[in-house]
Coordinates of all heavy atoms in Angstrom, one line a residue:
V207 N -2.6 9.3 6.2 CA -3.9 9.0 6.9 C -4.3 7.6 6.5 O -4.8 6.8 7.3 CB -4.9 10.1 6.6 CG1 -6.3 9.6 7.1 CG2 -4.5 11.4 7.2
L208 N -4.3 7.3 5.2 CA -4.7 6.0 4.7 C -3.9 4.9 5.2 O -4.4 3.9 5.7 CB -4.7 6.0 3.1 CG -5.2 4.8 2.5 CD1 -6.7 4.5 2.8 CD2 -5.0 4.9 0.9
L209 N -2.6 5.1 5.3 CA -1.7 4.1 5.8 C -1.9 3.8 7.3 O -1.8 2.7 7.8 CB -0.2 4.5 5.6 CG 0.3 4.3 4.2 CD1 1.6 5.0 4.0 CD2 0.4 2.8 3.8
R210 N -2.3 4.8 8.1 CA -2.6 4.7 9.5 C -3.9 3.9 9.7 O -4.0 3.3 10.8 CB -2.6 6.0 10.2 CG -1.3 6.7 10.4 CD -1.4 7.8 11.4 NE -2.4 8.8 11.1 CZ -2.1 9.9 10.4 NH1 -0.8 10.1 10.0 NH2 -3.0 10.8 10.2
T211 N -4.8 4.0 8.8 CA -6.1 3.5 9.0 C -6.3 2.1 8.4 O -7.1 1.3 9.0 CB -7.2 4.5 8.3 OG1 -6.9 5.8 8.7 CG2 -8.6 4.1 8.7
V212 N -5.7 1.8 7.3 CA -5.9 0.5 6.6 C -5.3 -0.7 7.4 O -4.3 -0.5 8.1 CB -5.4 0.5 5.2 CG1 -3.8 0.6 5.2 CG2 -5.8 -0.7 4.4
E213 N -6.0 -1.8 7.3 CA -5.5 -3.0 7.9 C -4.2 -3.5 7.2 O -4.2 -3.5 6.0 CB -6.5 -4.2 7.9 CG -7.7 -3.9 8.7 CD -8.8 -5.0 8.6 OE1 -8.4 -6.1 8.3 OE2 -10.0 -4.7 8.8
K214 N -3.1 -3.8 7.9 CA -1.9 -4.1 7.3 C -2.0 -5.3 6.4 O -1.3 -5.4 5.3 CB -0.8 -4.3 8.3 CG -0.5 -3.1 9.2 CD -0.1 -1.9 8.3 CE 0.2 -0.6 9.1 NZ -1.0 0.2 9.3
E215 N -2.8 -6.3 6.8 CA -2.9 -7.5 6.0 C -3.6 -7.2 4.6 O -3.2 -7.6 3.6 CB -3.8 -8.5 6.7 CG -3.9 -9.9 6.0 CD -4.8 -10.9 6.8 OE1 -5.1 -10.6 7.9 OE2 -5.1 -11.9 6.2
K216 N -4.6 -6.3 4.7 CA -5.3 -5.9 3.5 C -4.4 -5.1 2.6 O -4.4 -5.3 1.3 CB -6.6 -5.1 3.8 CG -7.8 -5.9 4.0 CD -9.0 -5.1 4.0 CE -10.3 -5.9 4.1 NZ -10.5 -6.6 5.4
L217 N -3.6 -4.3 3.2 CA -2.7 -3.5 2.4 C -1.7 -4.3 1.6 O -1.5 -4.1 0.4 CB -1.9 -2.5 3.3 CG -0.8 -1.7 2.7 CD1 -1.4 -0.7 1.6 CD2 -0.1 -0.8 3.7
A218 N -1.1 -5.3 2.2 CA -0.2 -6.2 1.5 C -0.9 -7.0 0.4 O -0.3 -7.1 -0.7 CB 0.4 -7.2 2.5
I219 N -2.1 -7.5 0.6 CA -2.8 -8.2 -0.5 C -3.1 -7.3 -1.6 O -3.0 -7.6 -2.8 CB -4.0 -8.9 0.1 CG1 -3.7 -9.9 1.2 CG2 -4.9 -9.5 -1.0 CD1 -4.9 -10.5 1.9
A220 N -3.6 -6.1 -1.3 CA -4.0 -5.1 -2.3 C -2.8 -4.7 -3.2 O -2.9 -4.6 -4.4 CB -4.6 -3.9 -1.7
L221 N -1.6 -4.5 -2.5 CA -0.5 -4.0 -3.3 C 0.2 -5.2 -4.1 O 1.0 -4.9 -5.0 CB 0.6 -3.4 -2.3 CG 0.2 -2.1 -1.7 CD1 1.3 -1.6 -0.8 CD2 -0.1 -1.1 -2.8
K222 N -0.2 -6.4 -3.7 CA 0.3 -7.6 -4.5 C -0.1 -7.4 -6.0 O 0.7 -7.8 -6.8 CB -0.4 -8.8 -3.9 CG 0.0 -10.1 -4.6 CD 1.4 -10.6 -4.2 CE 1.8 -11.9 -4.8 NZ 3.1 -12.4 -4.4
G223 N -1.3 -6.8 -6.3 CA -1.7 -6.7 -7.6 C -1.6 -5.3 -8.1 O -2.2 -4.9 -9.2
A224 N -0.9 -4.4 -7.4 CA -0.8 -3.0 -7.8 C 0.3 -2.8 -8.8 O 1.3 -3.6 -8.9 CB -0.6 -2.1 -6.6
S225 N 0.2 -1.7 -9.5 CA 1.3 -1.3 -10.5 C 2.6 -0.9 -9.7 O 2.5 -0.5 -8.5 CB 0.9 -0.1 -11.3 OG 0.7 1.1 -10.6
E226 N 3.7 -0.9 -10.3 CA 5.0 -0.5 -9.7 C 4.9 0.9 -9.2 O 5.4 1.3 -8.1 CB 6.1 -0.7 -10.6 CG 6.5 -2.2 -10.8 CD 6.9 -2.9 -9.6 OE1 7.6 -2.3 -8.7 OE2 6.6 -4.1 -9.4
N227 N 4.3 1.8 -10.0 CA 4.2 3.2 -9.6 C 3.4 3.4 -8.4 O 3.8 4.2 -7.5 CB 3.6 4.0 -10.8 CG 4.5 4.2 -12.0 OD1 5.7 4.1 -11.8 ND2 3.9 4.5 -13.1
L228 N 2.3 2.7 -8.3 CA 1.5 2.9 -7.0 C 2.2 2.3 -5.8 O 2.2 2.9 -4.7 CB 0.1 2.2 -7.2 CG -0.8 2.4 -6.1 CD1 -1.1 3.8 -5.7 CD2 -2.2 1.7 -6.4
R229 N 2.8 1.1 -6.0 CA 3.6 0.5 -4.9 C 4.7 1.5 -4.4 O 4.8 1.7 -3.2 CB 4.3 -0.8 -5.4 CG 3.4 -2.0 -5.5 CD 4.3 -3.2 -5.6 NE 3.5 -4.4 -6.0 CZ 4.0 -5.6 -6.1 NH1 5.3 -5.8 -5.8 NH2 3.3 -6.6 -6.4
D230 N 5.4 2.1 -5.4 CA 6.5 3.0 -5.0 C 6.0 4.2 -4.2 O 6.6 4.6 -3.3 CB 7.2 3.5 -6.2 CG 8.1 2.4 -6.9 OD1 8.3 1.4 -6.2 OD2 8.4 2.5 -8.1
Q231 N 4.8 4.7 -4.6 CA 4.2 5.8 -3.9 C 3.9 5.4 -2.4 O 4.1 6.2 -1.5 CB 3.0 6.3 -4.6 CG 2.4 7.6 -3.9 CD 1.6 8.4 -4.9 OE1 1.6 8.2 -6.1 NE2 0.8 9.3 -4.3
F232 N 3.4 4.2 -2.2 CA 3.1 3.8 -0.9 C 4.4 3.6 -0.1 O 4.5 4.1 1.1 CB 2.4 2.4 -0.9 CG 0.9 2.6 -1.0 CD1 0.2 2.6 -2.2 CD2 0.1 2.8 0.2 CE1 -1.2 2.7 -2.2 CE2 -1.3 2.9 0.2 CZ -1.9 2.9 -1.1
F233 N 5.4 3.0 -0.7 CA 6.7 2.8 0.0 C 7.3 4.2 0.4 O 7.9 4.3 1.4 CB 7.6 2.0 -0.9 CG 7.2 0.6 -1.1 CD1 7.4 -0.1 -2.3 CD2 6.5 -0.1 -0.1 CE1 7.0 -1.4 -2.5 CE2 6.1 -1.4 -0.3 CZ 6.3 -2.0 -1.5
K234 N 7.2 5.2 -0.5 CA 7.8 6.5 -0.3 C 7.2 7.2 0.9 O 7.8 8.1 1.5 CB 7.8 7.3 -1.5 CG 8.7 6.9 -2.6 CD 8.5 7.8 -3.9 CE 9.4 7.3 -5.0 NZ 9.1 8.1 -6.3
S235 N 5.9 6.8 1.2 CA 5.2 7.5 2.3 C 5.4 6.8 3.6 O 4.8 7.2 4.6 CB 3.7 7.4 2.0 OG 3.4 8.1 0.8

C-alpha cells in the first residue's frame, strides 16, 4: 500500500539514506 501511494521521486531520495535492511525490505516488496 505504501509503495503504491508514495511519490517515486521521494521514495528514491528517502532510500538514499536508508539502512541496507530497510532498502532490502522495500526491494523484496
Side-chain angles (χ1 to χ4, degrees):
V207 172
L208 183 60
L209 283 170
R210 287 197 302 269
T211 312
V212 69
E213 295 177 22
K214 297 300 180 271
E215 183 181 350
K216 273 194 173 65
L217 176 61
I219 296 173
L221 291 182
K222 179 79 175 179
S225 66
E226 288 298 325
N227 287 339
L228 183 56
R229 281 195 194 184
D230 288 343
Q231 183 157 344
F232 272 94
F233 293 144
K234 288 176 183 176
S235 301

